[in-house]
Amino acid sequence: MALARAFASVASLARQGESKLSFASRAFATNTTVNGVPVEVHNEGGSKRVVVTKTLPGERWLQFLINAGCRVEVSRHPDIILTNATIKQLIGTKCDGVIGQLTEDWGSELFEALKQAGGKAYSNYAVGYNNVKVDEATKRGIPVGNTPGVLTETTAELAAALTLAAARRVPEADVFMRAGKYKGWLPNLFVGQLLQNKTVGIIGAGRIGAAYARMMVEGHKMNLVYYDPYPNKQLEEYILLYGELLRYRGEPPVACKRVETVEEVLKEADVVSLHCNLDASTRHLINAQRLAMMKPTAVLVNAARGPCIDEAALVAHLKANPEFRCGLDVFEDEPAMKPGLADCPNAVIVPHIASASLWTRSGMATLAAANVAGILSGYPVWNKTDILGFVDKPLAAAPHAAPSIVNAKELKLKMVE
């Protein structure tokens, strides 16, 4: 016990040291401009220049870069979405690495600018990288990082929140209350759909889709029907065992089945949640024809990628079917919405906040920074499923590696064995 307390004390002191160092690095930040663009500078004497196109949450990410000897310049430009011209101003004539955003167009223009400035690393502050033309980076020998492994539960929770909010008409009732319209209880006031013992359908049974499925099955004893090109045997076994537990307790068991087509999910499920990647096969996966297959009281949830739904067709369907509901975190022409969507009371719409828990957004920043710091330090690439060592361990104990480089194989980078 004494030894355990000693280790705990050392770990606590290490965390306090990290916190104090982070506070100090923030306190001594300076402000300047780069080619007319305002920036906040950390570790001014660092030998490697890293540009960060947006202020990131948390403190730990900054320490990864400072420990790697980086001068960190964080853009303070007032525009929410930076143009390529502004990003090229930030890159300038000497830049070793960049942490960019999913709202930016990282293609030949920006990667060429980074290459000409001596750039050796880029990381997207996102797990997805539809905004990045990875082949253009690979042509120029630039590793591209992303931030997987910290969004699973957070994104699944948001999808579940959208499901419940839509099914039980929470936003409509909130607007009603704030407008002072509530004069007393009524039997038919904002009557919604009960999810208990219904069927939830997911399209895409990867980590996020499976986490969402477990939440809905366990929380509401829903049966699961899913479509994915590859069976998720672990998910199927989990739900089978949960069903056996319910049976043991004298309750009806839940069931899980994988089907061969998207159409089967749409026809059978009371709730359909999208958790698929965006590619040519999933663009407008949900169109007018497939919407017409769904139950008239169904709930459609999308916290994956906006273009997976034909948004104009969805607006028409929502208007024609007032009992049909949807919950959307992403949009086809983000940040814009298709005309009429905002006027649909049966649509719950939020501004791409699926990853917006402090732990996740801070973890994403840490992984993005560790990607750049790792490449600039000459470390090998981690590319393993478990990345929590970068996020939760004391900095001194974090792996000496770049957590996730999507073109590591193409660039023949050394991997952690």
Side-chain angles (χ1 to χ4, degrees), residues 105-108 111 129-138 144:
D105 181 18
W106 280 87
S108 59
F111 282 122
Y129 44 95
N130 296 108
N131 64 307
V132 180
K133 292 182 175 61
V134 178
D135 59 334
E136 295 293 342
T138 303
V144 172

Side-chain angles (χ1 to χ4, degrees), residues 166-371:
R168 296 303 302 271
R169 305 178 65 181
V170 173
E172 294 175 76
D174 181 84
V175 170
F176 184 83
M177 284 295 293
R178 292 176 191 278
K181 295 181 179 179
Y182 181 53
K183 305 303 179 184
W185 185 88
L186 289 171
N188 61 352
L189 187 62
F190 295 111
V191 173
Q193 296 297 322
L194 179 70
L195 299 180
Q196 201 81 1
N197 303 123
K198 298 286 184 68
T199 298
V200 59
I202 60 172
I203 298 173
R207 285 181 293 185
I208 295 172
Y212 169 83
R214 292 196 304 269
M215 290 177 187
M216 302 309 294
V217 170
E218 289 185 80
H220 305 279
K221 297 182 175 63
M222 301 183 81
N223 294 311
L224 173 66
V225 56
Y226 79 93
Y227 170 78
D228 194 290
Y230 306 99
N232 188 329
K233 295 298 185 183
Q234 187 176 16
L235 175 63
E236 292 177 11
E237 181 182 7
Y238 187 94
I239 292 175
L240 175 64
L241 292 173
Y242 181 62
E244 290 302 314
L245 173 64
L246 293 175
R247 191 194 305 274
Y248 176 78
R249 294 174 61 86
E251 300 180 53
V254 292
C256 170
K257 70 175 180 179
R258 173 177 172 263
V259 295
E260 295 298 323
T261 66
V262 169
E263 286 78 6
E264 290 174 83
V265 175
L266 298 178
K267 291 175 182 178
E268 185 170 342
D270 300 284
V271 174
V272 175
S273 189
L274 305 183
H275 299 282
C276 48
N277 295 325
L278 176 63
D279 56 29
S281 69
T282 59
R283 186 174 295 274
H284 284 192
L285 179 73
I286 305 299
N287 54 25
Q289 182 181 7
R290 282 177 165 156
L291 285 166
M293 297 177 183
M294 298 180 70
K295 295 180 179 181
T297 58
V299 176
L300 174 64
V301 176
N302 188 12
R305 293 290 181 266
C308 292
I309 296 177
D310 180 345
E311 203 169 294
L314 176 61
V315 171
H317 192 78
L318 288 166
K319 290 182 175 180
N321 300 273
E323 297 304 311
F324 183 93
R325 307 191 186 282
C326 72
L328 305 176
D329 179 57
V330 289
F331 305 90
E332 186 172 357
D333 300 320
E334 196 169 312
M337 294 184 289
K338 293 294 187 185
L341 181 59
D343 300 322
C344 294
N346 46 344
V348 180
I349 46 180
V350 296
H352 205 145
I353 58 169
S355 64
S357 70
L358 180 59
W359 183 84
T360 291
R361 289 281 174 91
S362 299
M364 290 165 62
T366 295
L367 293 174
N371 281 328

